[in-house]
Amino acid sequence: MTQTKPQPKKLYIKTYGCQMNVYDSERMSEALGGTGYEEVSSPDEADMILLNTCHIREKAAEKVYSELGRFKGLKAENPNLKIGVAGCVAQAEGEEIMRRQPLVDLVVGPQAYHRLPEMEARLSNGAKVLDTDMPEEDKFEQLKARPKAKRGPTAFLTVQEGCDKFCAFCVVPYTRGAEASRPVARVLDEARDLVERGVREITLLGQNVNAYHGAGPDGEYSLARLIWALNEIDGLERIRFTTSHPNDMSDDLIEAHGQCEKLMPYLHLPVQSGSDRILKRMNRSHTRDSYLRLIERIRAARPDILISGDFIVGFPEESDQDFADTMDLIRQVGYGQAFSFKYSTRPGTPAAERKEQVPSDVADARLYELQALITQQQRARQDAMVGQTVGVLFEKPGRLPGQMVGKSDHLHAVHVSDCDAQPGDLRQVTIVDSGANSLSGVLI
Ligand code: 5AD
Ligand code: SF4
């Protein structure tokens, strides 16, 4: 009798939202890999579908429900298909999801992923599973180690989760829980493992990554100290981190931007508004002026740093003058990159209680105006790279024959023709042209 190997079951994961979800999806895939699943790129052939969701704005959550509705046909064709909702919508809405969409078999919050293998066993027995606990243990430690597969040149590494800042508009403190930092040794082990598998650039992730305070072999480590430790890893060429809060931008981190060679000249530092009145109502606990002074200090340490930001327009009570203050702050800072959003009421947050909503068409007009200014600044910052020589980490071939694409130190996409660089090579490139969304250059 010949023994046939069991066919791997097929897992389809769709990821919404931030980079932390991208990282979590990888880890979920690896955890379920241990129970016989392999990842596929289409839901049509899947035995399990997981939506890793985002709850940050209303639209993001609604998308999840409309996507779930689309799986009805698939479930009719394959009654054994398991459908799961993970991520922040799962955490925030829990059982309500199963009530609203009976197709769903599994609801798992972001702090419970390490229990997925055991949940899968229960699902296989026909049970429905809900787990939105926020246990103390390090979920990443419990998840199966990353398999030793080769990786591309860039990777995310979550070092911190949760947020204690409680900005009045934001669901993160409720969906991701309190701030928690992973121990230094675990982060370094994971980083070394990534480098062995081909990674050259690591982006450290956290909802409030610069509030990192992990236990180290010789006391507590700040984010700056962690970066200096990572700087020692041979083969790791670049370090980035995101997302930061202005109040946690400590002196040692600013100094690292000036002195640590592998730390890239790019900083995402959301301010949300340029009006003190609105910042106060947002519970941001910094002022317009303190933010501007902070940017000055960071630029003094690293003059070529590219500053990126997040903005919300149409927060309750935002007047024309408040919005003008935001536009003025943007002009003063000069952003190389920015993300801007229309305020979205999130149930359970303090701002949701406020009656003084800005009319939707007013918020739309402000968003349009703000985005036009940001686009102009982004383009100017990109154009200013022409003639300069920068490091480029090559990632993949471009669309044209012989062309390669990579990212510059400042995170601009760079195309190089007649390029003999391989994915993972870090080379010096002189920038010769600036297009709509990318630069082109020549190897030196
Ligand atoms: N409405 C609009 N934008 C929001 N953000 C967070 N919460 C909301 C909300 N309720 C934005 C902030 C944050 C980014 C990740 O999402 O700008 O920095
Ligand atoms: Fe949300 Fe504010 Fe925390 Fe950022 S700092 S995750 S915006 S509460």
Side-chain angles (χ1 to χ4, degrees):
M1 208 169 76
T2 53
Q3 284 234 316
T4 49
K5 249 175 87 182
Q7 283 291 313
K9 287 183 279 184
K10 299 195 165 98
L11 169 70
Y12 171 74
I13 306 187
K14 180 157 180 176
T15 308
Y16 298 82
C18 66
Q19 293 144 329
M20 300 196 56
N21 270 6
V22 175
Y23 178 84
D24 281 351
S25 290
E26 280 173 16
R27 305 310 305 266
M28 285 195 276
S29 171
E30 284 160 11
L32 286 167
T35 67
Y37 278 88
E38 78 180 16
E39 213 175 323
V40 291
S41 56
S42 151
D44 302 345
E45 43 177 327
D47 300 294
M48 186 188 295
I49 295 175
L50 280 182
L51 299 185
N52 191 6
T53 62
C54 172
H55 200 241
I56 198 99
R57 285 168 291 275
E58 193 183 354
K59 269 195 192 147
E62 280 310 313
K63 260 196 234 157
V64 172
Y65 284 105
S66 68
E67 183 82 33
L68 284 171
R70 268 185 255 150
F71 296 145
K72 210 173 197 158
L74 291 178
K75 191 109 175 179
E77 277 168 34
N78 174 9
N80 291 325
L81 170 66
K82 304 295 176 201
I83 298 181
V85 178
C88 293
V89 175
Q91 189 67 40
E93 306 211 340
E95 227 168 303
E96 173 63 21
I97 300 174
M98 285 183 180
R99 235 175 288 148
R100 199 168 148 183
Q101 185 44 275
L103 291 175
V104 173
D105 303 286
L106 166 72
V107 174
V108 50
Q111 302 310 326
Y113 296 154
H114 52 292
R115 293 201 282 252
L116 268 173
E118 140 207 347
M119 292 178 210
E120 199 277 332
R122 282 159 61 203
L123 287 172
S124 299
N125 290 331
K128 291 212 174 204
V129 178
L130 171 86
D131 190 342
T132 52
D133 283 356
M134 290 199 184
E136 288 279 303
E137 71 251 23
D138 181 347
K139 73 178 189 198
F140 301 115
E141 182 59 13
Q142 310 279 328
L143 286 172
K144 261 191 166 329
R146 288 170 186 243
K148 295 279 174 203
K150 188 122 180 63
R151 297 271 312 221
T154 64
F156 295 132
L157 201 174
T158 295
V159 300
Q160 181 278 336
E161 282 200 283
C163 181
D164 297 340
K165 298 285 189 292
F166 291 92
C167 296
F169 49 80
C170 186
V171 286
V172 166
Y174 312 99
T175 56
R176 291 272 176 167
E179 273 175 18
S181 298
R182 295 180 68 198
V184 174
R186 305 244 169 87
V187 174
L188 295 180
D189 281 351
E190 199 170 322
R192 282 190 209 100
D193 175 64
L194 287 168
V195 170
E196 268 171 36
R197 292 158 53 199
V199 170
R200 296 286 163 264
E201 171 181 309
I202 291 179
T203 302
L204 305 174
L205 298 180
Q207 259 101 22
N208 232 304
V209 73
N210 61 341
Y212 178 87
H213 52 94
D218 44 358
E220 196 173 90
Y221 276 48
S222 63
L223 183 67
R225 206 169 161 203
L226 180 70
I227 288 169
W228 281 108
L230 287 161
N231 195 53
E232 295 295 309
I233 298 179
D234 284 340
L236 179 63
E237 311 272 8
R238 286 172 155 185
I239 304 164
R240 303 181 188 277
F241 61 90
T242 196
T243 287
S244 298
H245 191 284
N247 288 4
D248 292 314
M249 214 52 220
S250 54
D251 292 347
D252 60 349
L253 191 53
I254 296 176
E255 200 176 285
H257 268 294
Q259 297 182 355
C260 181
E261 210 187 314
K262 293 183 184 174
L263 182 59
M264 289 295 102
Y266 183 104
L267 179 64
H268 184 61
L269 197 61
V271 63
Q272 315 294 355
S273 168
S275 152
D276 279 340
R277 217 174 65 91
I278 296 298
L279 286 171
K280 198 157 186 207
R281 284 165 176 70
M282 285 178 164
N283 192 31
R284 287 288 294 176
S285 59
H286 61 78
T287 62
R288 164 198 176 86
D289 193 50
S290 67
Y291 179 82
L292 288 171
R293 277 186 284 123
L294 179 60
I295 297 285
E296 261 175 37
R297 287 174 53 217
I298 296 163
R299 285 201 166 127
R302 180 77 203 228
D304 70 328
I305 199 161
L306 187 150
I307 303 288
S308 159
D310 286 346
F311 296 91
I312 295 177
V313 299
F315 187 79
E317 264 186 81
E318 185 188 65
S319 67
D320 286 344
Q321 183 56 51
D322 295 319
F323 176 64
D325 289 348
T326 299
M327 294 291 279
D328 181 68
L329 176 136
I330 294 172
R331 282 190 204 95
Q332 282 198 45
V333 172
Y335 286 89
Q337 169 80 274
F339 304 89
S340 48
F341 313 98
K342 184 172 157 181
Y343 169 69
S344 168
T345 306
R346 306 312 291 130
T349 59
E353 309 293 317
R354 303 188 78 103
K355 303 270 175 294
E356 318 82 346
Q357 300 288 327
V358 171
S360 186
D361 56 338
V362 173
D364 283 335
R366 287 179 187 163
L367 188 63
Y368 185 82
E369 203 181 324
L370 187 150
Q371 287 182 340
L373 176 59
I374 292 289
T375 306
Q376 201 185 322
Q377 292 193 341
Q378 270 171 214
R379 186 60 199 259
R381 184 66 167 87
Q382 197 190 283
D383 292 350
M385 299 309 295
V386 175
Q388 296 197 33
T389 297
V390 283
V392 172
L393 179 64
F394 286 97
E395 291 178 15
K396 55 182 185 215
R399 260 186 262 147
L400 303 176
Q403 190 187 52
M404 289 290 292
V405 190
K407 293 273 168 54
S408 76
D409 297 343
H410 301 90
L411 215 53
H412 289 121
V414 181
H415 290 79
V416 178
S417 299
D418 297 325
C419 185
D420 64 2
Q422 298 301 307
D425 287 353
L426 178 63
R427 302 274 291 268
Q428 291 296 302
V429 170
T430 301
I431 303 300
V432 294
D433 199 12
S434 171
N437 295 308
S438 65
L439 295 165
S440 48
V442 290
L443 289 175
I444 61 164

